[in-house]
Amino acid sequence: MTPYDTELVVERREPAAEGVLALTLRHPLGAELPAWEPGAHVDLVLAPGLERQYSLCGDPADRGSWRIAVLREPDGRGGSAHVHRRLRPGDGVRARGPRNHFPLEPAGRYRFVAGGIGITPILPMLAAAEAAGADWSLLYGGRTLRSMAFTGELARYGSRVTIAPEDETGLLDLPSVLDGLPDGTLVYCCGPGPLLDAVEERCPAGALRTERFRPKERPAGAAAEFEVVLARSGRTLAVAPDVTVLDAVRAAGVEVLHSCTEGTCGTCETEVLEGVPDHRDSVLTEAERAAGETMLICVSRCRGRRLVLDL
């Protein structure tokens, strides 16, 4: 199936918090947009060579528009600055997706933890959990109340939501949410790396689902040369120690959809037909890594001498 890739227009631009802009995107001709589920993100091509991923934080039932929220990052790589300084209602922006590596799995009980702009993928999950009649709660932290997006929308959930600005309450009280979790509880967390690491330390095995905006720190491991066989053409490529699989494949003239090149967006996920990947991404679950059926070729390598990929 051809991935959705088209020009959309900015319909609305409005502040969601201090330093956070919410953008509503529509098709210029009013066409329906692809369906999506909570946890999904889209790629926006903001300028040549400037492509970024943003979580969809609107209503999945609304097929006429997509909503995203963008935090202004003064020390970022240019994506948020472009959105905040240049995108205005009526402007066009190329969109690809949606993709979902952070899906809300069925459960009777959820505990959600969000930090800062990490509330964006969590927001539609809350509505889905509420509609399903699940037992759920949200612990939401940020630097200040003014910097925390969508607190007005969250007010309708009452005591299920705990808003905890760090300048008023200190660091998030994770033990109150995560200690003694009943069996079958799923924990969903999105936010800064230190928060995700702290939640990961407290969660029972198999209970946690995360999405990272920055790559997780992992030991680099030995970087040895190996071979990649492109199954569709039968070509064999040598991947040098200082070259990624993605770069080797592209240098051979094979184009692969990719975006972040950091192992966080999942765009370059590729099926593995033979061989054992050395997973170095921040997207796949431990179960998916153990299965070895796919890999993110922008960062992951090979545990051995040969991989056969569905390319």
Side-chain angles (χ1 to χ4, degrees):
M1 183 174 68
T2 303
Y4 186 78
D5 183 343
T6 195
E7 191 86 4
L8 301 182
V9 295
V10 178
E11 181 185 54
R12 287 196 304 276
R13 164 192 164 110
E14 52 197 353
E18 185 176 77
V20 180
L21 275 180
L23 299 181
T24 301
L25 309 175
R26 288 189 179 275
H27 192 280
L29 301 179
E32 279 195 343
L33 302 180
W36 60 279
E37 295 181 349
H41 72 265
V42 293
D43 305 334
L44 295 189
V45 183
L46 302 170
L50 190 62
E51 185 171 336
R52 296 292 183 266
Q53 295 73 45
Y54 299 107
S55 297
L56 292 171
C57 58
D59 179 2
D62 178 4
R63 296 291 300 276
S65 70
W66 283 343
R67 183 177 70 166
I68 63 169
V70 182
L71 170 67
R72 175 72 167 92
E73 298 183 88
D75 299 324
R77 296 178 297 155
S80 69
H82 182 99
V83 171
H84 279 248
R85 292 175 183 172
R86 300 190 182 185
L87 283 187
R88 296 291 186 271
D91 287 347
V93 61
R94 193 148 202 91
R96 297 172 179 156
R99 299 182 179 87
N100 199 341
H101 289 277
F102 191 42
L104 184 67
E105 300 172 22
R109 187 179 293 104
Y110 300 99
R111 297 295 175 259
F112 299 101
V113 181
I117 199 63
I119 190 62
T120 51
I122 299 292
L123 199 61
M125 292 185 181
L126 306 182
E130 182 80 358
D135 172 2
W136 68 269
S137 67
L138 165 68
L139 179 60
Y140 176 26
R143 291 179 293 103
T144 67
L145 185 61
R146 295 190 307 276
S147 71
M148 298 172 68
F150 305 119
T151 53
E153 293 185 23
L154 292 169
R156 71 177 184 267
Y157 295 122
S159 61
R160 288 180 181 265
V161 173
T162 300
I163 305 291
E166 186 176 350
D167 66 338
E168 298 178 20
T169 63
L171 295 176
L172 290 179
D173 183 8
L174 296 179
S176 67
V177 175
L178 301 178
D179 287 0
L181 287 176
D183 290 344
T185 303
L186 291 184
V187 178
Y188 279 77
C189 181
C190 186
L195 172 62
L196 271 68
D197 293 341
V199 171
E200 196 171 63
E201 289 178 3
R202 304 198 76 96
C203 272
L208 180 61
R209 308 290 184 269
T210 63
E211 182 170 67
R212 291 179 178 267
F213 296 136
R214 297 286 183 270
K216 185 175 182 179
E217 291 293 331
R218 294 184 181 276
E225 181 171 312
F226 58 95
E227 291 183 343
V228 166
V229 178
L230 309 183
R232 298 182 197 176
S233 65
R235 297 177 64 185
T236 298
L237 310 177
V239 182
D242 59 346
V243 174
T244 68
V245 177
L246 175 64
D247 287 343
V249 168
R250 296 186 70 216
V254 179
E255 275 305 315
V256 178
L257 281 178
H258 65 283
S259 181
C260 73
T261 69
E262 295 180 328
T264 59
C265 74
T267 304
C268 69
E269 184 174 4
T270 301
E271 185 177 355
V272 178
L273 303 179
E274 292 181 29
V276 181
D278 177 8
H279 296 291
R280 303 185 183 187
D281 66 276
S282 300
V283 173
L284 299 179
T285 65
E286 290 304 322
E288 288 169 333
R289 291 192 181 98
E293 295 175 353
T294 66
M295 64 183 289
L296 271 64
I297 62 173
C298 67
V299 292
S300 297
R301 300 186 67 80
C302 176
R303 292 186 181 275
R305 298 296 302 162
R306 184 173 179 267
L307 286 172
V308 180
L309 302 180
D310 185 21
L311 290 173

